[in-house]
């Protein structure tokens, strides 16, 4: 584990090993039981060029709890983006104000990697187009670790719009690092290569220990699909309680959930649903990430 800044940005898991994941889990589990006294000596700029609830609020809380004053730039309204200023210029102007670190959510056309290389402070990815959402994958890892002692060989089925999901991309990287067996269940047009694939949801649920649902990400579709596009075969149906929840299967979802589409409200609030635990772990995971950035360990 490096002791000085060898990477000043965290955009994906390219430079991560199992040691990084162990360090991450050790800090995240520590911050759950040991709240820190807060003294705001540093500043964290949160640049959210795309909408967010969970990631933005949890990074804001995590920054505060780790001693950063969180300075929030969110959306277009009442900012100079309305006057035509570019996202790149906005980023550079925020950097000129000398925050101690920057947390960014943006679309995939935003040159996050190039800008991060030029910055001399840590840049953390809070969701980058369809490409990656690594802090989501870390909170998912923490949630799975709370439930299963040993993740090696855990059977995780990802269901829904896999192809357009940055959550899936980052989760697949973490799953590979910690030996989780990952499969997908999706309509043909929304599948990706390289994974065990189920064309039938019930068959997939018979295989899985954890069912991770994704919403249909219409805003990232490059062309229009027919209304349901085959997803109706992958939506949760009540009779699935019998052979999944009742045999101790767990349900996850990164949010936001569209009730009546990928899941029902009933299953989201079922004791076997980990969805609100994922949200709670979002703060701990992001605190751990901020601490690793502070240590120069990412
Ligand atoms: N899971 C997630 O990224 O949610 P938000 O878009 O609300 O941050």
């Amino acid at each position: 584990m490096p002791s000085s800044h060898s990477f000043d940005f965290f955009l994906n898991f390219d430079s991560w090993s199992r040691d990084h994941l162990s360090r991450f889990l050790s800090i995240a589990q520590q911050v759950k039981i040991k709240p820190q006294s807060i003294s705001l000596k540093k500043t964290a700029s949160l640049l959210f060029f795309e909408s967010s609830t969970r990631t933005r609020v949890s990074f804001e809380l995590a920054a505060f709890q780790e001693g950063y004053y969180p300075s929030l730039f969110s959306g277009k309204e009442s900012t100079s983006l309305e006057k035509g200023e570019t996202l790149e210029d906005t980023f550079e102007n925020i950097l000129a104000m000398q925050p101690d670190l920057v947390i960014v959510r943006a679309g995939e056309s935003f040159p996050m990697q190039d800008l991060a290389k030029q910055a001399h402070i840590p840049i953390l990815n809070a969701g980058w187009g369809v490409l990656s959402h690594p802090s989501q994958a870390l909170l998912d890892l923490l949630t799975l670790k709370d439930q299963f002692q040993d993740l090696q060989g855990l059977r995780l089925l990802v269901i829904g719009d896999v192809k357009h999901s940055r959550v899936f991309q980052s989760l697949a990287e973490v799953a590979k690092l910690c030996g989780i067996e990952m499969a997908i269940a999706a309509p043909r047009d929304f599948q990706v290569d390289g994974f065990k694939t189920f064309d039938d949801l019930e068959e997939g649920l018979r295989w899985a220990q954890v069912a991770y649902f994704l919403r249909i990400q219409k805003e990232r579709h490059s062309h229009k699909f027919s209304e349901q596009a085959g997803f109706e075969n992958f939506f949760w149906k009540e009779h699935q309680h019998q052979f999944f929840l009742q045999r101790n299967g767990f349900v996850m979802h990164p949010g936001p959930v569209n009730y009546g589409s990928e899941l029902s409200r009933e299953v989201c609030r079922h004791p076997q649903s980990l969805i609100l635990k994922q949200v709670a772990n979002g703060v701990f995971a992001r605190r751990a990430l901020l601490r690793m950035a502070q240590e120069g360990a990412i």
Side-chain angles (χ1 to χ4, degrees):
M1 188 75 55
S3 58
S4 63
H5 282 78
S6 56
F7 291 95
D8 276 329
F9 48 89
F10 172 64
L11 306 185
N12 51 42
F13 294 102
D14 285 357
S15 62
W16 278 48
S17 63
R18 274 180 178 244
D19 286 348
H20 287 87
L21 289 185
S22 299
R23 179 74 187 135
F24 163 76
L25 284 170
S26 153
I27 301 174
Q29 281 153 354
Q30 241 177 57
V31 298
K32 277 192 184 194
I33 49 174
K34 205 169 147 219
Q36 175 167 292
S37 62
I38 296 162
S39 150
L40 301 182
K41 295 203 172 113
K42 302 163 282 181
T43 51
S45 280
L46 280 72
L47 289 185
F48 277 71
F49 297 128
E50 286 193 341
S51 58
S52 168
T53 296
R54 281 147 289 270
T55 312
R56 183 177 69 71
V57 177
S58 61
F59 258 126
E60 206 173 344
L61 291 172
F64 178 75
Q65 289 170 16
E66 287 300 307
Y68 291 87
Y69 171 77
S71 167
L72 177 64
F73 180 105
S74 181
K76 197 170 174 181
E77 203 178 321
S78 75
T79 73
S80 288
L81 291 174
E82 280 186 335
K83 303 175 206 164
E85 186 161 37
T86 65
L87 302 189
E88 290 86 337
D89 277 354
T90 304
F91 182 88
E92 284 173 352
N93 277 267
I94 294 291
L95 272 192
M97 295 182 220
Q98 304 186 348
D100 293 288
L101 64 82
V102 178
I103 297 158
V104 192
R105 169 170 287 197
E108 63 263 16
S109 61
F110 184 71
M112 182 114 63
Q113 190 138 18
D114 296 341
L115 292 170
K117 279 181 187 159
Q118 290 160 26
H120 298 292
I121 54 169
I123 307 296
L124 306 185
N125 175 355
W128 185 15
V130 76
L131 300 174
S132 53
H133 195 355
S135 66
Q136 174 73 44
L138 290 176
L139 74 86
D140 292 337
L141 171 68
L142 186 57
T143 308
L144 289 169
K145 192 68 188 165
D146 287 344
Q147 217 61 53
F148 301 92
Q149 278 311 301
D150 188 5
L151 298 181
Q152 185 72 38
L154 178 75
R155 296 186 306 280
L156 173 67
L157 179 69
V158 185
I159 303 144
D161 192 356
V162 173
K163 188 171 182 169
H164 300 97
S165 172
R166 60 188 174 203
V167 171
F168 174 77
Q169 296 294 341
S170 292
L171 191 57
E173 291 183 71
V174 164
K176 192 170 172 195
L177 275 174
C178 50
I180 292 173
E181 208 181 321
M182 198 153 143
I184 61 169
R188 288 279 158 86
D189 285 341
F190 300 85
Q191 296 175 359
V192 292
D193 294 336
F195 293 87
K196 183 181 183 72
T197 301
F198 292 95
D199 292 308
D200 179 70
L201 178 57
E202 295 206 7
E203 201 185 313
L205 289 175
R206 272 194 288 275
W207 171 86
Q209 291 168 277
V210 179
Y212 194 115
F213 285 83
L214 297 170
R215 71 183 171 86
I216 307 171
Q217 288 155 88
K218 288 185 182 152
E219 75 278 18
R220 303 202 190 282
H221 293 173
S222 54
H223 65 278
K224 200 167 160 34
F225 292 97
S226 63
E227 197 46 39
Q228 294 286 21
F231 280 108
E232 66 278 12
N233 295 330
F234 296 87
F235 291 165
W236 183 264
K237 306 205 179 46
E238 290 314 307
H239 67 271
Q240 283 161 346
H241 281 267
Q242 286 170 21
F243 66 91
F244 191 65
L245 294 176
Q246 286 178 12
R247 67 165 177 78
N248 216 25
F250 290 95
V251 170
M252 296 176 76
H253 192 302
V257 178
N258 295 302
Y259 296 136
S261 175
E262 63 273 16
L263 286 175
S264 64
R265 190 172 195 287
E266 191 194 3
V267 71
C268 290
R269 297 294 175 264
H270 189 279
Q272 299 294 123
S273 162
L274 302 179
I275 295 172
L276 287 180
K277 291 183 179 162
Q278 289 172 267
V279 178
N281 276 331
V283 179
F284 304 127
R286 285 162 180 136
R287 280 186 68 178
L289 204 47
L290 290 169
R291 213 170 283 185
M292 288 176 80
Q294 173 87 11
E295 288 177 351
I298 54 174

